[in-house]
Amino acid sequence: MENSRETLNIVVVGHVDHGKSTLIGRLLFDTDSLPEGAIDKVKQLAKEKGKAFEYAYLLDAFEEEQEQGITIDTTQLQFSTEKRDYVIIDAPGHKEFLKNMISGAANAEAAFLLVDANEGIQEQSRRHGYILSLLGIKKVYVIVNKMDLVDYSEDRLNQIKTDFNEFLNNLNIYPIDYIPISAYFGENIVKKSKKMPWNRSGSIIEIMDTIPKDKDLEKKPLRFPIQDVYKFDDRRIIAGRIESGTLNVGDEILISPSNKTTKIKSIAYWSDKDQRNEASAGMSVGIIVEDEFFNKRGEIISHIEDAPIKSNIFNANVFWMGKTNLVKNKKYKLKLSTKEVECEVITINKIIDASTLAQGDFAEGIKKNDVAEVTIRTKEMICFDEFANLQTTGRFVIVDGFDVSGGGIISGIEDSLKNRELVTNSTNIAPRKRLVSTKDREKSYGQKGRVIWLTGLSGSGKNEIAIKLEKKLFDFGKKVYYLDSTNLRFGLSSDLEFSAKDAHEQTRRIAEVARLFADSGTIVIVSSVSRYRKDREFAKEIIGESVYREVFIEATEDVCKKRNPGGIYEDGDENFYYEKSDYPVFSLFIEDAEFNADKKALSLIELIRG
């Protein structure tokens, strides 16, 4: 019969003398998870050695049993409550824990950070807090142990809470709860302690049972990295392993980073009994799509509305195991899912010795067993996810020569820099991430950031329409800003002229500014001639296809001349040159020089939706 019980993985970290082994021993004992006879055996051994029995000794006995074949990993302990099963990842060695977390051998969904109520927060406590921030573990609980030594004082708990929050919040760790316990006396382990009636959180077991479980992989966003493309009879079969999510025949899909969209026509099968219309995480499948594109190994298939991040620069935390040090600006190979690409570390932001958790020395680069915060640049755009959101495509390995020498997890990239190829001539800089995301702002403002790009010849009427559109949206209560390209030429672009080269640069600057406004949750209206197709395509790439809305204001030469008397058209007919886009855009035709801009603006309101 299939075991349908839920399992939650919890890592326990804390200073060596703060009672971690006693807590784990207590949890094993109080949940009847110890091997039969273990408690009597340990008591007898303690007696023979003239020591008083302690629950911490049970951990050694339990691990000894596991070494004899019950489990293969002595750092992972299992026990159960009535609600579900638990795996406690004991982290006695930071080096092994970090290596296992980054390589995927361990997978902690929540963390218990142990602090001695009497001794308070120690340097090791702070370093463990840093480890949790490094790994992006969000469900952190601080267990304040040895409350018996401080007379179960609520004031003492609150003091530790205030002091530790000051440090942890600075690392972007916001503990879900502080749980007071005495592991030695079993207070607040299974049941709420009567010695701490002021405690409103519940016992540690009660709180464990309320920790929300991460979604199962098949319920997460679809990530189907392309392994290869095969030609069978008249079919082109895209093969690979689904790392997360579920796909169905008929689904609209996006292939990244090439940005192609199509539909799944069918799922390949060898015999009729294998025929299926759905496949999910963990399955290796071949799919046939409706449109034939050039697809290559390393691209990732997703659903359109939940695509992976695209970039060539990102921040990561790496664990280095190489024979020679990891250094800046040296070429390495990065492997992420099926993608292999040349990469280099362009910035080292922090180095930590994984054994001692002490700050490392930058001068020699990243040594064996060091953990470091770095910024990586790949030779071309790749697809990935932030490790904290999706581990399977947020993890990579680094190959030095022919040896796999390190592993890493992607900590992310600032929203305004996502989904485009980044170029910089600056050195020793790293993208900084903010605490308020684009989604946070959009939720708060009740609107999505958009860029409505009005393009067309001088005199076509785009400026009048932009002004009216801004006023209408503002009156509707929208956060909106009109970015007039002419006005920019008096400031940001005062060094530019009207050559093709400067026109390209002007478009780039407008697009960069518009992107920032849109990321802030603002609806941006741009009016710019932007007569060259490639310039507008560049703007769309910078701003992002899902945010960019192009509106072509088309007017006859006669209308443009009437609306721009004594203007640029007296310099020659070449100013009527305009390249239309070869992708769908919204068009407004201006048939009369005295047209009603108010009505034209009203027809564009719908563009801010969707």
Side-chain angles (χ1 to χ4, degrees):
M1 182 178 169
E2 187 180 348
N3 181 12
S4 59
R5 277 177 65 83
E6 188 178 84
T7 300
L8 188 77
N9 300 326
I10 302 175
V11 63
V12 182
V13 292
H15 189 282
V16 66
D17 294 324
H18 284 193
K20 186 157 59 76
S21 296
T22 305
L23 170 62
I24 295 174
R26 263 289 180 184
L27 289 171
L28 295 172
F29 175 74
D30 288 348
T31 56
D32 293 325
S33 301
L34 288 164
E36 190 176 349
I39 187 83
D40 294 333
K41 179 182 173 184
V42 172
K43 284 182 177 177
Q44 181 61 35
L45 284 172
K47 186 178 179 181
E48 289 172 5
K49 292 181 180 178
K51 294 182 177 179
F53 168 77
E54 290 188 18
Y55 284 95
Y57 300 156
L58 291 172
L59 190 61
D60 297 332
F62 193 67
E63 290 180 344
E64 187 180 317
E65 291 287 338
Q66 291 183 100
E67 284 172 353
Q68 292 171 15
I70 296 173
T71 64
I72 57 170
D73 188 346
T74 57
T75 63
Q76 299 197 2
L77 310 165
Q78 299 167 28
F79 70 95
S80 304
T81 64
E82 288 184 5
K83 179 180 179 181
R84 61 185 170 194
D85 299 329
Y86 290 93
V87 174
I88 294 290
I89 304 168
D90 185 15
H94 316 119
K95 185 176 71 179
E96 287 302 312
F97 170 62
L98 283 166
K99 187 173 73 176
N100 288 346
M101 277 296 290
I102 287 174
S103 66
N107 176 26
E109 297 167 82
F112 284 171
L113 177 50
L114 218 68
V115 175
D116 184 319
N118 193 37
E119 286 190 6
I121 302 154
Q122 302 295 303
E123 184 57 29
Q124 279 279 328
S125 313
R126 295 188 177 90
R127 290 176 180 176
H128 285 128
Y130 172 70
I131 283 183
L132 300 180
S133 75
L134 200 69
L135 297 171
I137 299 175
K138 295 175 180 171
K139 300 170 199 162
V140 175
Y141 295 78
V142 177
I143 311 298
V144 182
N145 190 24
K146 303 188 185 181
M147 287 296 291
D148 52 294
L149 298 181
V150 294
D151 295 328
Y152 299 101
S153 165
E154 182 182 13
D155 289 342
R156 180 57 181 156
L157 177 82
N158 288 336
Q159 182 61 53
I160 289 174
K161 189 175 179 180
T162 301
D163 294 345
F164 214 9
N165 273 349
E166 188 177 339
F167 173 78
L168 293 175
N169 293 172
N170 199 39
L171 294 172
N172 301 327
I173 293 179
Y174 299 89
I176 295 172
D177 209 345
Y178 280 71
I179 309 171
I181 65 166
S182 169
Y184 188 83
F185 290 107
E187 295 293 339
N188 214 35
I189 300 296
V190 176
K191 297 179 181 176
K192 279 189 74 171
S193 170
K194 292 181 180 176
K195 295 185 175 178
M196 293 179 278
W198 44 264
N199 172 38
R200 291 175 291 277
S201 297
S203 73
I204 196 167
I205 290 286
E206 289 170 342
I207 290 172
M208 284 172 73
D209 279 347
T210 65
I211 298 174
K213 169 89 180 150
D214 288 348
K215 284 182 187 173
D216 292 334
L217 269 179
E218 61 267 25
K219 294 177 182 171
K220 292 192 173 184
L222 174 65
R223 297 291 181 263
F224 179 35
I226 297 176
Q227 184 175 330
D228 216 332
V229 181
Y230 300 99
K231 183 83 174 172
F232 279 103
D233 43 58
D234 61 343
R235 298 173 300 166
R236 286 178 75 255
I237 299 177
I238 301 173
R241 180 180 186 275
I242 302 173
E243 295 294 346
S244 64
T246 300
L247 59 80
N248 293 276
V249 171
D251 281 356
E252 281 192 86
I253 56 170
L254 173 70
I255 304 171
S256 301
S258 57
N259 220 29
K260 301 184 184 81
T261 58
T262 184
K263 277 188 177 181
I264 299 174
K265 193 174 179 181
S266 63
I267 298 172
Y269 57 93
W270 289 108
S271 59
D272 289 345
K273 68 179 177 59
D274 299 322
Q275 189 172 359
R276 61 173 59 243
N277 291 320
E278 178 186 294
S280 56
M283 299 176 70
S284 295
V285 296
I287 62 170
I288 296 104
V289 297
E290 289 188 352
D291 304 283
E292 287 203 358
F293 300 124
F294 173 71
N295 305 117
K296 60 182 180 181
R297 180 184 171 90
E299 290 187 306
I300 292 182
I301 291 174
S302 70
H303 288 126
I304 294 171
E305 65 280 5
D306 217 344
I309 300 166
K310 297 181 294 182
S311 188
N312 61 323
I313 293 179
F314 54 85
N315 291 330
N317 304 322
V318 297
F319 187 89
W320 191 246
M321 296 169 283
K323 295 173 185 171
T324 57
N325 295 352
L326 176 65
V327 294
K328 288 197 301 181
N329 305 321
K330 179 183 172 181
K331 307 299 181 193
Y332 298 94
K333 185 188 292 181
L334 181 142
K335 293 185 177 181
L336 192 157
S337 294
T338 57
K339 182 68 179 179
E340 296 184 15
V341 64
E342 184 181 289
C343 76
E344 61 182 320
V345 171
I346 58 173
T347 310
I348 298 175
N349 303 304
K350 192 169 187 177
I351 300 176
I352 297 291
D353 181 318
S355 299
T356 63
L357 299 185
Q359 179 93 27
D361 183 4
F362 280 67
E364 298 177 6
I366 303 166
K367 301 191 293 296
K368 186 175 183 179
N369 294 329
D370 277 350
V371 184
E373 296 178 32
V374 300
T375 301
I376 291 176
R377 175 166 55 204
T378 55
K379 192 175 182 180
E380 59 189 77
M381 288 252 283
I382 64 169
C383 301
F384 55 83
D385 289 282
E386 292 183 17
F387 179 80
N389 296 331
L390 199 47
Q391 297 183 357
T392 51
T393 42
R395 174 185 286 132
F396 59 86
V397 297
I398 298 176
V399 180
D400 184 10
F402 297 100
D403 300 322
V404 174
S405 299
I409 56 179
I410 296 173
S411 53
I413 187 167
E414 155 61 26
D415 284 344
S416 64
L417 301 176
K418 286 178 178 174
N419 300 324
R420 58 187 172 124
E421 189 162 0
L422 300 173
V423 179
T424 178
N425 292 324
S426 303
T427 56
N428 287 323
I429 60 170
R432 298 183 195 279
K433 194 174 178 186
R434 293 184 298 229
L435 294 179
V436 183
S437 69
T438 301
K439 281 186 178 177
D440 293 335
R441 294 176 200 279
E442 290 178 343
K443 186 177 179 183
S444 176
Y445 301 150
Q447 66 177 50
K448 288 181 179 292
R450 289 281 180 269
V451 176
I452 302 174
W453 190 283
L454 305 183
T455 171
L457 294 173
S458 293
S460 60
K462 57 187 180 300
N463 302 320
E464 288 82 352
I465 295 170
I467 290 168
K468 295 285 187 181
L469 183 58
E470 182 189 34
K471 183 67 168 65
K472 286 187 182 302
L473 290 173
F474 183 79
D475 289 345
F476 288 156
K478 299 295 182 184
K479 195 166 180 277
V480 57
Y481 190 81
Y482 171 35
L483 205 55
D484 186 326
S485 64
T486 301
N487 288 348
L488 288 185
R489 286 187 178 274
F490 292 101
L492 179 65
S493 298
S494 60
D495 57 324
L496 300 181
E497 298 180 353
F498 289 96
S499 66
K501 181 182 175 185
D502 280 3
H504 178 79
E505 176 59 15
Q506 166 76 337
T507 304
R508 186 190 72 79
R509 293 182 189 182
I510 297 170
E512 290 283 0
V513 174
R515 165 86 190 231
L516 292 175
F517 271 101
D519 276 328
S520 77
T522 304
I523 299 166
V524 190
I525 302 164
V526 171
S527 68
S528 168
V529 173
S530 44
R531 69 180 75 241
Y532 301 108
R533 184 187 304 124
K534 64 179 176 54
D535 290 350
R536 296 193 302 277
E537 288 175 351
F538 189 40
K540 185 170 73 165
E541 182 186 335
I542 291 171
I543 292 165
E545 192 166 350
S546 62
V547 176
Y548 180 84
R549 302 286 186 274
E550 186 174 315
V551 181
F552 176 41
I553 310 297
E554 186 172 14
T556 63
E557 292 183 9
D558 186 48
V559 167
C560 289
K561 280 184 176 178
K562 282 182 181 175
R563 292 182 47 76
N564 200 342
I568 63 170
Y569 296 115
E570 289 193 348
D571 297 336
D573 287 346
E574 64 271 14
N575 286 318
F576 284 115
Y577 182 75
Y578 184 89
E579 296 174 354
K580 289 187 178 181
S581 298
D582 53 9
Y583 48 81
V585 302
F586 194 89
S587 290
L588 284 181
F589 184 70
I590 307 299
E591 70 285 357
D592 185 347
E594 303 299 324
F595 76 100
N596 187 320
D598 213 50
K599 285 186 177 177
K600 295 293 183 186
L602 200 59
S603 68
L604 297 178
I605 295 293
E606 283 298 313
L607 286 180
I608 67 167
R609 299 197 173 95

